[in-house]
PDB file of all heavy atoms in Angstrom:
ATOM      1  N   PRO A1417      18.693  22.098   3.160  1.00  0.00           N
ATOM      2  CA  PRO A1417      19.360  21.940   4.455  1.00  0.00           C
ATOM      3  C   PRO A1417      20.346  23.055   4.806  1.00  0.00           C
ATOM      4  O   PRO A1417      21.550  22.822   4.907  1.00  0.00           O
ATOM      5  CB  PRO A1417      20.069  20.585   4.304  1.00  0.00           C
ATOM      6  CG  PRO A1417      20.316  20.448   2.842  1.00  0.00           C
ATOM      7  CD  PRO A1417      19.197  21.157   2.141  1.00  0.00           C
ATOM      8  N   ASN A1418      19.826  24.265   5.026  1.00  0.00           N
ATOM      9  CA  ASN A1418      20.703  25.298   5.596  1.00  0.00           C
ATOM     10  C   ASN A1418      20.694  25.136   7.122  1.00  0.00           C
ATOM     11  O   ASN A1418      19.979  24.292   7.659  1.00  0.00           O
ATOM     12  CB  ASN A1418      20.281  26.707   5.142  1.00  0.00           C
ATOM     13  CG  ASN A1418      18.879  27.036   5.598  1.00  0.00           C
ATOM     14  OD1 ASN A1418      18.308  26.318   6.411  1.00  0.00           O
ATOM     15  ND2 ASN A1418      18.321  28.111   5.096  1.00  0.00           N
ATOM     16  N   LYS A1419      21.469  25.977   7.804  1.00  0.00           N
ATOM     17  CA  LYS A1419      21.640  25.735   9.244  1.00  0.00           C
ATOM     18  C   LYS A1419      20.319  25.849  10.005  1.00  0.00           C
ATOM     19  O   LYS A1419      20.004  25.006  10.857  1.00  0.00           O
ATOM     20  CB  LYS A1419      22.681  26.704   9.816  1.00  0.00           C
ATOM     21  CG  LYS A1419      22.950  26.394  11.269  1.00  0.00           C
ATOM     22  CD  LYS A1419      24.039  27.222  11.886  1.00  0.00           C
ATOM     23  CE  LYS A1419      24.267  26.926  13.369  1.00  0.00           C
ATOM     24  NZ  LYS A1419      23.128  26.567  14.161  1.00  0.00           N
ATOM     25  N   SER A1420      19.514  26.869   9.677  1.00  0.00           N
ATOM     26  CA  SER A1420      18.283  27.039  10.456  1.00  0.00           C
ATOM     27  C   SER A1420      17.317  25.878  10.206  1.00  0.00           C
ATOM     28  O   SER A1420      16.609  25.443  11.120  1.00  0.00           O
ATOM     29  CB  SER A1420      17.624  28.392  10.167  1.00  0.00           C
ATOM     30  OG  SER A1420      17.372  28.524   8.799  1.00  0.00           O
ATOM     31  N   PHE A1421      17.303  25.359   8.975  1.00  0.00           N
ATOM     32  CA  PHE A1421      16.444  24.196   8.676  1.00  0.00           C
ATOM     33  C   PHE A1421      16.911  22.974   9.471  1.00  0.00           C
ATOM     34  O   PHE A1421      16.112  22.285  10.111  1.00  0.00           O
ATOM     35  CB  PHE A1421      16.467  23.916   7.168  1.00  0.00           C
ATOM     36  CG  PHE A1421      15.650  22.710   6.760  1.00  0.00           C
ATOM     37  CD1 PHE A1421      14.291  22.832   6.513  1.00  0.00           C
ATOM     38  CD2 PHE A1421      16.236  21.462   6.624  1.00  0.00           C
ATOM     39  CE1 PHE A1421      13.530  21.716   6.140  1.00  0.00           C
ATOM     40  CE2 PHE A1421      15.486  20.344   6.259  1.00  0.00           C
ATOM     41  CZ  PHE A1421      14.132  20.480   6.013  1.00  0.00           C
ATOM     42  N   ILE A1422      18.205  22.741   9.445  1.00  0.00           N
ATOM     43  CA  ILE A1422      18.740  21.564  10.154  1.00  0.00           C
ATOM     44  C   ILE A1422      18.484  21.683  11.657  1.00  0.00           C
ATOM     45  O   ILE A1422      18.085  20.710  12.312  1.00  0.00           O
ATOM     46  CB  ILE A1422      20.266  21.417   9.885  1.00  0.00           C
ATOM     47  CG1 ILE A1422      20.508  21.108   8.408  1.00  0.00           C
ATOM     48  CG2 ILE A1422      20.894  20.343  10.770  1.00  0.00           C
ATOM     49  CD1 ILE A1422      20.066  19.742   7.968  1.00  0.00           C
ATOM     50  N   ASP A1423      18.675  22.895  12.190  1.00  0.00           N
ATOM     51  CA  ASP A1423      18.419  23.087  13.631  1.00  0.00           C
ATOM     52  C   ASP A1423      16.957  22.782  13.956  1.00  0.00           C
ATOM     53  O   ASP A1423      16.654  22.133  14.950  1.00  0.00           O
ATOM     54  CB  ASP A1423      18.742  24.535  14.050  1.00  0.00           C
ATOM     55  CG  ASP A1423      20.243  24.779  14.088  1.00  0.00           C
ATOM     56  OD1 ASP A1423      21.012  23.802  14.016  1.00  0.00           O
ATOM     57  OD2 ASP A1423      20.643  25.958  14.171  1.00  0.00           O
ATOM     58  N   LEU A1424      16.049  23.249  13.088  1.00  0.00           N
ATOM     59  CA  LEU A1424      14.615  23.007  13.313  1.00  0.00           C
ATOM     60  C   LEU A1424      14.307  21.505  13.278  1.00  0.00           C
ATOM     61  O   LEU A1424      13.609  20.979  14.153  1.00  0.00           O
ATOM     62  CB  LEU A1424      13.796  23.735  12.237  1.00  0.00           C
ATOM     63  CG  LEU A1424      12.284  23.510  12.301  1.00  0.00           C
ATOM     64  CD1 LEU A1424      11.678  24.219  13.508  1.00  0.00           C
ATOM     65  CD2 LEU A1424      11.600  24.013  11.020  1.00  0.00           C
ATOM     66  N   VAL A1425      14.845  20.845  12.267  1.00  0.00           N
ATOM     67  CA  VAL A1425      14.581  19.410  12.108  1.00  0.00           C
ATOM     68  C   VAL A1425      15.105  18.625  13.319  1.00  0.00           C
ATOM     69  O   VAL A1425      14.425  17.736  13.840  1.00  0.00           O
ATOM     70  CB  VAL A1425      15.212  18.906  10.787  1.00  0.00           C
ATOM     71  CG1 VAL A1425      15.263  17.389  10.744  1.00  0.00           C
ATOM     72  CG2 VAL A1425      14.436  19.438   9.588  1.00  0.00           C
ATOM     73  N   LYS A1426      16.286  19.021  13.794  1.00  0.00           N
ATOM     74  CA  LYS A1426      16.851  18.303  14.939  1.00  0.00           C
ATOM     75  C   LYS A1426      16.069  18.584  16.221  1.00  0.00           C
ATOM     76  O   LYS A1426      15.970  17.737  17.100  1.00  0.00           O
ATOM     77  CB  LYS A1426      18.332  18.659  15.097  1.00  0.00           C
ATOM     78  CG  LYS A1426      19.183  17.939  14.042  1.00  0.00           C
ATOM     79  CD  LYS A1426      20.537  18.548  13.853  1.00  0.00           C
ATOM     80  CE  LYS A1426      21.540  18.123  14.850  1.00  0.00           C
ATOM     81  NZ  LYS A1426      22.907  18.566  14.453  1.00  0.00           N
ATOM     82  N   GLU A1427      15.491  19.768  16.303  1.00  0.00           N
ATOM     83  CA  GLU A1427      14.670  20.109  17.470  1.00  0.00           C
ATOM     84  C   GLU A1427      13.369  19.292  17.456  1.00  0.00           C
ATOM     85  O   GLU A1427      12.940  18.749  18.468  1.00  0.00           O
ATOM     86  CB  GLU A1427      14.352  21.618  17.410  1.00  0.00           C
ATOM     87  CG  GLU A1427      13.465  22.115  18.531  1.00  0.00           C
ATOM     88  CD  GLU A1427      12.996  23.548  18.272  1.00  0.00           C
ATOM     89  OE1 GLU A1427      13.683  24.303  17.554  1.00  0.00           O
ATOM     90  OE2 GLU A1427      11.911  23.901  18.787  1.00  0.00           O
ATOM     91  N   VAL A1428      12.762  19.207  16.268  1.00  0.00           N
ATOM     92  CA  VAL A1428      11.419  18.628  16.136  1.00  0.00           C
ATOM     93  C   VAL A1428      11.439  17.110  15.977  1.00  0.00           C
ATOM     94  O   VAL A1428      10.492  16.425  16.343  1.00  0.00           O
ATOM     95  CB  VAL A1428      10.741  19.332  14.926  1.00  0.00           C
ATOM     96  CG1 VAL A1428       9.569  18.558  14.418  1.00  0.00           C
ATOM     97  CG2 VAL A1428      10.337  20.752  15.306  1.00  0.00           C
TER      98      VAL A1428
END
Side-chain angles (χ1 to χ4, degrees):
N1418 61 11
K1419 185 175 178 326
S1420 56
F1421 178 86
I1422 294 290
D1423 287 348
L1424 177 71
V1425 166
K1426 284 162 82 170
E1427 178 190 334
V1428 162

